[in-house]
Amino acid sequence: MPDNKNSLTGFSSIAVHAGHTKDPNNAHLTPIYASSTYVFDEAEQGMRRFSGEEKGYIYSRWGNPTIAEAEEKIAALESFGVMDKNGNALQLKAILHSSGMAALSTLLISNLKSGDKILTHFSLYGGSQELVEKILPPLGIEAIIVDLRDLNKAEAMMKADAKIKMLYLETPANPTIQCVDIEELTNLAKQYSLTVACDNTFATPYLQQPFKYGVDFVFHSTTKFLNGHGTAIGGVLLGKDIEKMNGHVTKVHRLLGGNSNSFDAFLLTLGMKTLEVRMERHCHNAMEVAALLESHPAISKVNYLGLHSHPDYYTAAKQMRHPGGMLSFEMKDGLEASKKFIDKLQMCLRAVSLGTCDTLLCHPASMTHFSVPKEKRALYGITDGLIRMSVGIENVQDILMDLEQALNP
Ligand code: PLP
């Protein structure tokens, strides 16, 4: 990385170089630091490190150089070109976790207490939904779940209940690809002094930067597009209140123990270097796939943000660079037709997860959202015939050919 970080002008330049510090042995890439602890030259040094008087590593649950590189890179990408309220380049602190769910747990536990409520949208990743609906309530934290695309309803909820302390967004949302308006909702939430957090997993900072709209926290399952190759589970929590991130949030992260590890951090760093080129290809391929599916007689509905038929087309166009690599669609003949189609695929893979180089398809009702009761699934638009697709970076004609042969009787 050049000494003057601000001299880099492009997203990929940042993606390739940010976070790297010169290795003492001149290794091109930061090595995988496979060491759980760090040695002090003398007792005094250990004391200085613990008191914070001297910077340096202590214990790998608290971080190490391989983890630090990945954290700094993602912070640089989420803040790239974003200004703070005083017009200065936004500073962010990122904390890498062992999974997206671990990052979400740190976010919730470091910001909410018994008696508080969290306001969120009805279409969320199944695990996030279960966490807020099943794990938080016994801790005294209640989730209020509404359609946040209805701004009047969102404001009415915020106004009516002073116990709501956090607005939690996931946009685009899993698996319906619904979008909520980050700017409008954040403006409303700030009138009621709410903390705003956004899951940016589906978009990545290349397509969408929620900090531009004033959110307080962003989190990712880095398992997905940021890693890009399906090689490691991981998560990251980013915040702009540096004092709070370095203080209470770091404390919660360290004590809950959802830390990352050097090998996964190394893989994530490699993956993030190609984020822009991969996302361009994911989005280009997804648009072609959506067009094919929309015109196919076996399909009744396609949820893709690049299609004018998507109800959130304009919200996505406002806040995202491109409509993303994720889509979902419904087979006219329901569950049996969906199963038959999925089983006939030859190149595209039957798997949950998303954001990998290869195209992955899954059936949310029986897989990612199996634990969400059927009546709630119906309410959220997760029908039995719905198939979710993470469009890969293969040559698009091969994806289209595979889909066509699997759709044809
Ligand atoms: N957020 C979204 C949008 C997801 O799709 C997922 C996982 O699929 C998660 C969070 C949880 O991430 P992880 O599986 O890395 O814990």
Side-chain angles (χ1 to χ4, degrees):
M1 177 92 185
D3 288 344
N4 178 8
K5 286 188 183 185
N6 299 327
S7 65
L8 297 182
T9 59
F11 188 92
S12 275
S13 310
I14 301 283
V16 170
H17 295 287
H20 184 71
T21 46
K22 193 175 179 317
D23 176 69
N25 293 309
N26 279 350
H28 165 209
L29 301 176
T30 302
I32 298 168
Y33 275 78
S35 183
S36 53
T37 195
Y38 288 79
V39 177
F40 310 126
D41 290 336
E42 59 201 359
E44 281 288 338
Q45 186 183 42
M47 292 171 194
R48 287 197 301 278
R49 290 211 177 158
F50 267 88
S51 71
E53 196 186 316
E54 178 183 302
K55 278 201 178 324
Y57 295 102
I58 295 175
Y59 185 55
S60 270
R61 175 153 50 81
W62 294 19
N64 69 38
T66 325
I67 291 174
E69 177 168 14
E71 288 175 335
E72 281 169 34
K73 197 181 286 297
I74 175 72
L77 295 176
E78 279 291 359
S79 61
F80 177 57
V82 184
M83 298 295 155
D84 66 15
K85 56 179 187 295
N86 301 317
N88 300 316
L90 181 72
Q91 299 300 312
L92 293 175
K93 161 85 181 168
I95 305 178
L96 209 59
H97 287 70
S98 54
S99 68
M101 294 313 293
L104 178 56
S105 304
T106 298
L107 167 75
L108 298 174
I109 292 177
S110 58
N111 282 283
L112 297 169
K113 59 180 185 333
S114 176
D116 289 347
K117 294 185 184 176
I118 175 170
L119 178 63
T120 190
H121 186 59
F122 60 52
S123 183
L124 291 183
Y125 164 60
S128 309
Q129 187 145 3
E130 277 199 273
L131 183 64
V132 299
E133 283 196 305
K134 295 184 182 159
I135 306 297
L136 294 190
L139 302 176
I141 300 163
E142 194 188 313
I144 300 177
I145 299 181
V146 295
D147 186 345
L148 288 177
R149 293 171 302 174
D150 181 341
L151 295 174
N152 291 329
K153 192 183 259 176
E155 182 168 19
M157 300 307 298
M158 295 178 198
K159 203 171 182 173
D161 197 339
K163 289 189 171 168
I164 298 175
K165 298 292 183 212
M166 179 184 279
L167 173 69
Y168 175 70
L169 312 175
E170 177 183 316
T171 183
N174 194 347
T176 51
I177 328 294
Q178 289 174 2
C179 253
V180 296
D181 190 320
I182 307 172
E183 185 175 27
E184 296 283 354
L185 285 164
T186 304
N187 286 344
L188 284 177
K190 288 299 158 193
Q191 288 174 33
Y192 297 92
S193 306
L194 307 190
T195 297
V196 183
C198 183
D199 181 342
N200 203 25
T201 300
F202 270 34
T204 82
Y206 181 61
L207 301 183
Q208 170 175 284
Q209 291 170 298
F211 284 109
K212 260 191 200 161
Y213 308 109
V215 309
D216 302 290
F217 294 96
V218 163
F219 105 92
H220 287 265
S221 165
T222 61
T223 315
K224 314 293 171 9
F225 289 102
L226 289 180
N227 171 297
H229 301 78
T231 53
I233 300 285
V236 69
L237 176 61
L238 297 114
K240 64 182 184 185
D241 180 340
I242 305 293
E243 213 179 304
K244 179 168 181 168
M245 287 299 289
N246 283 333
H248 185 59
V249 180
T250 291
K251 175 73 75 193
V252 171
H253 163 248
R254 288 177 178 178
L255 294 177
L256 289 183
N259 57 288
S260 184
N261 66 79
S262 303
F263 187 55
D264 292 356
F266 177 81
L267 295 170
L268 175 61
T269 292
L270 292 189
M272 285 193 290
K273 290 184 188 221
T274 57
L275 184 62
E276 175 176 345
V277 281
R278 284 188 290 105
M279 290 314 288
E280 284 287 338
R281 180 70 162 245
H282 282 296
C283 295
H284 171 267
N285 285 358
M287 192 65 230
E288 295 216 16
V289 167
L292 170 93
L293 294 174
E294 200 174 41
S295 65
H296 200 283
I299 310 283
S300 55
K301 185 179 180 198
V302 181
N303 302 311
Y304 183 58
L305 291 166
L307 296 176
H308 280 89
S309 55
H310 195 295
D312 306 328
Y313 173 87
Y314 290 103
T315 309
K318 174 185 164 192
Q319 63 198 20
M320 293 174 72
R321 188 194 293 260
H322 303 307
M326 297 299 300
L327 54 85
S328 58
F329 55 96
E330 272 175 47
M331 303 282 300
K332 267 191 192 138
D333 293 335
L335 181 62
E336 283 313 309
S338 305
K339 279 206 272 189
K340 208 166 143 202
F341 160 75
I342 289 180
D343 285 345
K344 276 181 81 182
L345 291 166
Q346 290 173 357
M347 180 195 76
C348 302
L349 302 170
R350 290 167 282 274
V352 293
S353 201
L354 55 109
T356 58
C357 294
D358 13 36
T359 296
L360 306 179
L361 289 101
C362 75
H363 179 247
S366 66
M367 299 175 188
T368 50
H369 291 69
F370 175 69
S371 305
V372 177
K374 193 173 163 70
E375 61 283 5
K376 278 204 176 158
R377 286 203 304 263
L379 197 66
Y380 303 159
I382 307 168
T383 58
D384 283 348
L386 190 75
I387 293 171
R388 190 189 75 184
M389 183 167 179
S390 170
V391 182
I393 63 167
E394 299 97 335
N395 297 97
V396 73
Q397 69 273 18
D398 289 316
I399 305 176
L400 298 179
M401 264 177 356
D402 196 15
L403 294 177
E404 266 171 346
Q405 68 75 26
L407 283 169
N408 291 337

